[in-house]
Amino acid sequence: MRKWLTNTAKMLVATCVVFVIMEGALRVGAYAWNNRSDYYLYYGFHRWIGRVGVNPWSTIQGDYYKFPPNYVLRGADGQGTETASINAFGFRGPAFEDGKSGGTFRVVCMGESSTFGYKNPDNETYPFLLQQVFTEERLPVQVMNAGFPYYNSGSILSLFRGEIPQFRPHLITFYAGYNDTSWPMHVGGAARLALWTQSHSITYLFLRNALSRFAFRVEQGVFEGLMPQKLRADELKNDMELVAARYRRNVQALIADARRQGIDIV
């Protein structure tokens, strides 16, 4: 029995060592192969080192994150084949002044990945195209893109309260809802572990991409078994009501806060 335990311990240690070596080698290799993309080198630990900063789990709790100033976001799951230029304030798009200049009408577009322009080039996001329309019409309007991937109504509200008023906008636009409904209200410990592995291990990412459809089917089976996606009718109805109430509460708070500060909202 003692010999078996010793051999098992040695096997576990050897497996961990091999995994760590593979993880490091794949990170460095993917970093070099993808034009020195930090996304791969620091995969899963971006926020810890203050680089890319994407943190989906923080948005579930209603918190918000931003990107590092003057950063260029790139990487397969980070921005696809396109790059995203981040300005000095941590938002996507060209530089702008802290306060609004005289005679300029400032619009701040708030939302999730569809506002940020997830996997779109800089000149194809809808805030960019909106700015282009005003520029062509020679109207003194400045449009800011304050959208971020993975944001939901709670993180948008937190961002507004934490930073947006300092830019003195005349108008904010709000476009969100999908991310509020795409995560379950309650996630168990096993599902959290599975999601953590998915979002932190470059080895897992490599194997998933290499095995493609087979890995997807296995992954789908694991998550369907671990996450409360298949609920009884009464449980599903209750979960839907909780999500709707949270969304309604956040939107109403955003509207009230904006109006108190004399900011219109669409």
Side-chain angles (χ1 to χ4, degrees), residues 54-69:
V54 176
N55 186 9
W57 282 109
S58 69
T59 63
I60 294 177
Q61 305 302 320
D63 298 327
Y64 75 92
Y65 64 83
K66 288 169 54 184
F67 293 111

Side-chain angles (χ1 to χ4, degrees), residues 75 123 163 189 209 238:
N123 62 353
E163 300 192 29
N209 291 340
N238 180 64

Side-chain angles (χ1 to χ4, degrees), residues 52-56 58-59 63-69 73 78-79 84-87 89-93 96 108-118 126-127 144-153 155-156 159-160 163-164 167 175-176 179:
V52 175
V54 176
N55 186 9
S58 69
T59 63
D63 298 327
Y64 75 92
Y65 64 83
K66 288 169 54 184
F67 293 111
L73 176 66
Q79 184 56 19
S85 302
I86 308 302
N87 59 40
F89 292 103
F91 299 103
R92 186 171 190 179
F96 54 82
V108 176
C109 298
M110 305 195 71
E112 44 199 41
S113 56
S114 49
T115 298
F116 176 81
Y118 196 47
Y126 77 73
M144 287 174 47
N145 186 340
F148 287 88
Y150 299 106
Y151 267 32
N152 55 33
S153 60
S155 46
I156 292 171
L159 175 62
F160 177 83
E163 300 192 29
I164 298 303
F167 300 110
Y175 178 41
N179 288 347

